[in-house]
Amino acid sequence: MKPSFLWSRPFLSSRPVLWLLFVCNLLGTIYGYIWYDNQLLDTWEKHPHWQIVFVPDSPTASLFFTLSLLFLLFPAGLSRFKFLRGLIEGLAVVTSVKYGVWAVSMIFAGAAQGGELVWQDWMLVASHLAMAVEALLYVRLFRFGTGMLLVAGAWTLLNDAVDYRYEVYPWLPQTLWDNVPQVMVFTFCLTIASMAAGWLALRGAKRAKTEF
């Protein structure tokens, strides 16, 4: 078996792989929300309640991707939800790429300024890189278009604005507490880059389908 088979359409669309990814992402999503429990509680107690929606960034991105897998697992049963499918898939791609890269960047940026890397950090690095990679791989199987990609990007930019306007951004390593302005600029730029990455992946998928 050639290594390229592991990212081929037949392999990615096979039901065992889809179910495996669904279970892994579902468990990761649940773990992610548990990881945010202290910040969620703190936000609920100290901020207007509407802001709590913008707190758990990575697990919400993982939730979008998990829901996207349901449309691949049950295409006939969920075929009537075309608009919802496109919206969720667009959000899955933009947010998974953005927060996957963001989390890894923050972990290593904190370590570069003297923070200690523990085993949980390496677990988070692996899981968040997987978020970004799987989202881009599955673009070829998704059905969202450029319009939904722009909507997803707009929502993510709104999330960034709320995060740094009201200080509900994900808690940073202590070594980065003095670098919030730089982190904010990086975050906004990464959202734009994630939209671009999603668009390029979408364009590549359409080109490959046309050539096929």
Side-chain angles (χ1 to χ4, degrees), residues 22-209:
F22 177 80
V23 172
C24 290
N25 279 275
L26 179 61
L27 293 177
T29 298
I30 295 171
Y31 177 79
Y33 282 115
I34 294 173
W35 180 275
Y36 270 90
D37 61 350
N38 289 331
Q39 186 173 359
L40 288 168
L41 180 60
D42 183 76
T43 302
W44 187 264
E45 293 177 346
K46 299 178 181 178
H47 294 259
H49 291 171
W50 64 267
Q51 294 177 11
I52 202 168
V53 176
F54 298 92
V55 172
D57 294 333
S58 292
T60 301
S62 178
L63 176 62
F64 288 140
F65 187 79
T66 303
L67 294 175
S68 296
L69 293 174
L70 287 177
F71 288 101
L72 297 176
L73 284 164
F74 306 103
L78 300 175
S79 60
R80 57 189 172 184
F81 301 107
K82 293 182 179 179
F83 176 86
L84 182 61
R85 175 177 181 171
L87 178 60
I88 290 176
E89 289 176 346
L91 287 166
V93 172
V94 174
T95 59
S96 293
V97 173
K98 186 266 183 72
Y99 294 116
V101 175
W102 187 91
V104 174
S105 300
M106 292 305 105
I107 290 171
F108 286 128
Q113 297 200 43
E116 180 184 2
L117 287 176
V118 296
W119 70 267
Q120 290 98 329
D121 294 317
W122 292 109
M123 179 268 293
L124 291 172
V125 166
S127 61
H128 282 79
L129 283 178
M131 283 175 56
V133 171
E134 67 183 3
L136 291 175
L137 284 176
Y138 272 84
V139 167
R140 74 187 77 174
L141 300 181
F142 289 163
R143 297 183 181 177
F144 70 95
T146 303
M148 286 303 182
L149 191 69
L150 291 174
V151 171
W155 165 261
T156 310
L157 287 170
L158 172 63
N159 191 44
D160 296 341
V162 172
D163 275 357
Y164 293 93
R165 170 64 177 83
Y166 299 103
E167 298 185 347
V168 291
Y169 50 82
W171 286 347
L172 298 168
Q174 186 173 354
T175 52
L176 295 180
W177 288 357
D178 295 331
N179 302 108
V180 173
Q182 293 85 351
V183 171
M184 178 182 66
V185 172
F186 173 76
T187 300
F188 276 93
C189 290
L190 186 55
T191 296
I192 302 299
S194 299
M195 292 172 61
W199 181 79
L200 290 172
L202 183 63
R203 185 178 179 184
K206 289 182 177 179
R207 183 185 298 116
K209 187 176 181 179

